[in-house]
Amino acid sequence: MCVDFTDLNNGCLKDSYPLSSINILVYSASRCSMLNFMDAFLGYNQIQMHPIDEDKTAFMTETTNCYYKVMSFFLKNVDATYQRLMDKILEPLTGRIVQAYVDDMVVTSREFEKYHADLEQFFKTINKYHLKLNLEKYVFGVKAGRFLRFHLTKRGIEANPDK
């Protein structure tokens, strides 16, 4: 479903919550012995709309009027709202074992011996907040992989072999 939220977006104040620095995230995730790449499943749609704001997203079909009960991708401040949520949920893990940019995440382990404990801590945290992950985009227990278009390895950031 595609709804034109132009008028609603024009009437909303810009949320200036900063997105994380990609360079810092990528650098922090590099030089780890184990990497796990994940993506939130329909990330924005996991955030409930505030009940007061639901009717602002109303749209008509041929037979009925509808509105969004979850955030729509086309709303003005979804990136900032989603990043704020991820920062809050992952705050105890961020910079230590998790790097997150909106709905893209990498769980890192600097030492192989801590790999399972780090991964378990991440899953307990996201389970606590009922965050769903996209099974088709999981990549577990690798020594190298792509995160935010960068190729991460134990040696650091390397040229992307696909390019």
Side-chain angles (χ1 to χ4, degrees):
M1 178 65 64
C2 183
V3 179
D4 183 2
F5 289 125
T6 302
D7 291 337
L8 177 61
N9 286 334
N10 287 339
C12 291
L13 295 174
K14 174 74 175 143
D15 183 349
S16 60
Y17 189 83
L19 296 179
S20 301
S21 166
I22 291 175
N23 291 340
I24 292 171
L25 293 175
V26 169
Y27 182 76
S28 297
S30 66
R31 296 185 174 86
C32 292
S33 59
M34 297 298 286
L35 301 166
N36 305 280
F37 299 96
M38 292 168 231
D39 184 83
F41 182 73
L42 298 173
Y44 302 129
N45 297 139
Q46 292 189 53
I47 300 176
Q48 297 291 312
M49 290 288 294
H50 191 285
I52 293 172
D53 295 326
E54 288 176 349
D55 65 335
K56 294 174 182 143
T57 66
F59 59 95
M60 297 182 335
T61 68
E62 290 180 21
T63 58
T64 189
N65 293 334
C66 304
Y67 60 86
Y68 282 87
K69 294 183 84 53
V70 295
M71 274 189 7
S72 168
F73 180 77
F74 302 103
L75 293 171
K76 182 177 189 173
N77 292 313
V78 293
D79 287 339
T81 301
Y82 196 86
Q83 187 67 53
R84 181 183 286 110
L85 175 69
M86 294 306 291
D87 289 349
K88 184 174 182 172
I89 289 172
L90 299 173
E91 188 269 329
L93 309 175
T94 300
R96 197 169 49 81
I97 64 167
V98 176
Q99 308 304 326
Y101 187 84
V102 189
D103 63 345
D104 293 314
M105 295 165 276
V106 59
V107 179
T108 60
S109 295
R110 299 217 179 269
E111 301 169 33
F112 181 75
E113 296 76 25
K114 293 183 178 180
Y115 170 70
H116 288 95
D118 291 342
L119 206 51
E120 182 178 5
Q121 190 175 12
F122 170 77
F123 282 118
K124 281 183 179 179
T125 300
I126 64 165
N127 191 42
K128 177 180 174 183
Y129 294 98
H130 308 287
L131 182 66
K132 310 277 187 289
L133 299 176
N134 188 343
L135 294 173
E136 294 177 9
K137 294 188 178 182
Y138 277 30
V139 179
F140 284 110
V142 295
K143 296 184 185 283
R146 285 181 49 195
F147 179 58
L148 303 174
R149 289 186 241 132
F150 291 87
H151 189 73
L152 307 180
T153 71
K154 187 173 182 173
R155 293 184 301 269
I157 303 164
E158 296 185 359
N160 187 341
D162 296 340
K163 306 260 177 187

